[in-house]
Amino acid sequence: MVAHIFFDHDDKCLRLLDQRRLPLEEAWVVCRTPEDIVSALQTMVVRGAPAIGVTAAWGCVLAALRGGSGDALEVAFERIAAARPTAVNLRLAVERMRRVRNTVGQHPADPAALQGRLMDEAAAMQAEDAAACERIGRFGAQLLENGDTVLTHCNAGALATAGYGTALGVVRAAVDRGKRITVIADETRPFLQGARLTAWELARDNIPVRVACDNACALLMAKGLVQRIVVGADRIAANGDTANKIGTFGVAVLARYFNIPFYVAAPLTTFDPSLPDGGGIPIEERPVREVTHIGAQQLTPANVPVYNFAFDVTPATLISAIITDAGVLRPPFAAAIAGALA
Ligand code: MRU
């Protein structure tokens, strides 16, 4: 399984596997400043809700290491928290680092003490996320049958977390328990997280995977080629409405039509109980160039406007279960989520 977020304690920098260049090249990006972190988040060097939370935490460490304290440190923290709007893990991670800073003090007499405490917190968050994914896997593996083909959308794997993955963690755990599982990875236009990243990390782990165009979903389901759907999440509201990569909602509608179980896999750090439903989840709009071009090659006529919403919200009524690190939640979700978060 791939490890892709490394804090280098000697060189005082964060090394990130560059997900923009996979699967063709395994290149690393070195982040030394909070600005480097914001850029890595916005350009999707690193992506996936839990992974961007962990990266943000290390970004707060870099801000303190570069001499930040008081107002300057707060400005850097807020810039990191605002780098991407949809995944709640990002802001939650920065909130956690703020609490540590507040405990030590805004203007500590010994800056090394603050830096050390922030480093410990970021390392703890990274370890906690990897452990949460393994628990999600353990709970979710029971929902897959030997011989199942599981369709997934986007990449909710080791690359999107501190390791093991959420949706792919469920697959990994089922395979580890001796179940024969095949994965269909939706391509996931326009950034191709499925075709590039899910296919890459599963093939690397010798888990059978096949890529399909996003618009093949209905046919694949109609042909009986899909037994379960497992996807990740970027933010889950108090009633279970779930934001995830654009296209997830459509897959869920199809799953209901074809009577196929549709599971969301996510750690408790992805829940946002402050939002009663998905209507309040901010949906990121990304640069149109992601849609109009592939590399340098332009695909669409110049000056024709395009949409590039990066996420959509699947209503809770289309979700069969939410697999969390605290267990499998079933409808009615509002009560189940409140209980898990308590
Ligand atoms: O834009 P991205 O690649 O950050 O979107 C990622 C997703 O939508 C994932 O499915 C989600 O973050 C869950 S990752 C465990």
Side-chain angles (χ1 to χ4, degrees), residues 172-243:
R172 280 198 170 92
V175 169
D176 288 347
R177 283 154 184 72
K179 294 184 183 174
R180 200 168 35 81
I181 305 291
T182 300
V183 174
I184 296 177
D186 275 354
E187 243 184 333
T188 320
R189 276 276 295 156
F191 199 69
L192 301 177
Q193 288 93 331
R196 297 188 303 107
L197 307 178
T198 296
W200 180 77
E201 72 166 81
L202 290 179
R204 212 165 173 263
D205 285 356
N206 293 316
I207 296 176
V209 58
R210 194 184 269 249
V211 172
C213 297
D214 296 320
N215 43 14
C217 278
L219 180 76
L220 296 175
M221 292 186 203
K223 279 179 166 293
L225 296 175
V226 178
Q227 281 72 51
R228 302 273 187 285
I229 293 145
V230 189
V231 299
D234 287 84
R235 194 186 294 228
I236 302 175
N239 71 342
D241 289 352
T242 295

Side-chain angles (χ1 to χ4, degrees), residues 247-293:
T248 305
F249 181 17
V251 174
V253 170
L254 288 169
R256 174 58 52 88
Y257 182 83
F258 288 106
N259 204 19
I260 297 171
F262 179 92
Y263 301 126
V264 170
L268 295 180
T269 50
T270 299
F271 287 76
D272 183 354
S274 76
L275 296 179
D277 59 47
I281 299 177
I283 301 293
E284 179 181 9
E285 285 190 66
R286 293 195 51 81
V288 295
R289 196 183 160 91
E290 288 179 353
V291 176
T292 59
H293 286 66

Side-chain angles (χ1 to χ4, degrees), residues 291-318:
V291 176
T292 59
H293 286 66
I294 289 189
Q297 178 68 50
Q298 184 160 348
L299 305 173
T300 60
N303 304 322
V304 171
V306 302
Y307 286 124
N308 191 14
F309 292 105
F311 300 94
D312 57 26
V313 177
T314 299
T317 47
L318 295 178

Side-chain angles (χ1 to χ4, degrees), residues 91-107:
R91 191 158 280 281
L92 217 67
V94 175
E95 285 302 326
R96 201 166 144 177
M97 299 304 269
R98 272 196 184 108
R99 280 200 293 278
V100 171
R101 183 222 33 209
N102 293 346
T103 317
V104 179
Q106 300 266 8
H107 298 278

Side-chain angles (χ1 to χ4, degrees), residues 44 47-50 84 154-156 160-161 166 193 232-234 244-245 311:
M44 310 251 270
R47 30 63 52 202
R84 294 188 71 191
C154 193
N155 170 265
T161 61
T166 56
Q193 288 93 331
D234 287 84
N244 191 50
K245 180 52 51 191
F311 300 94

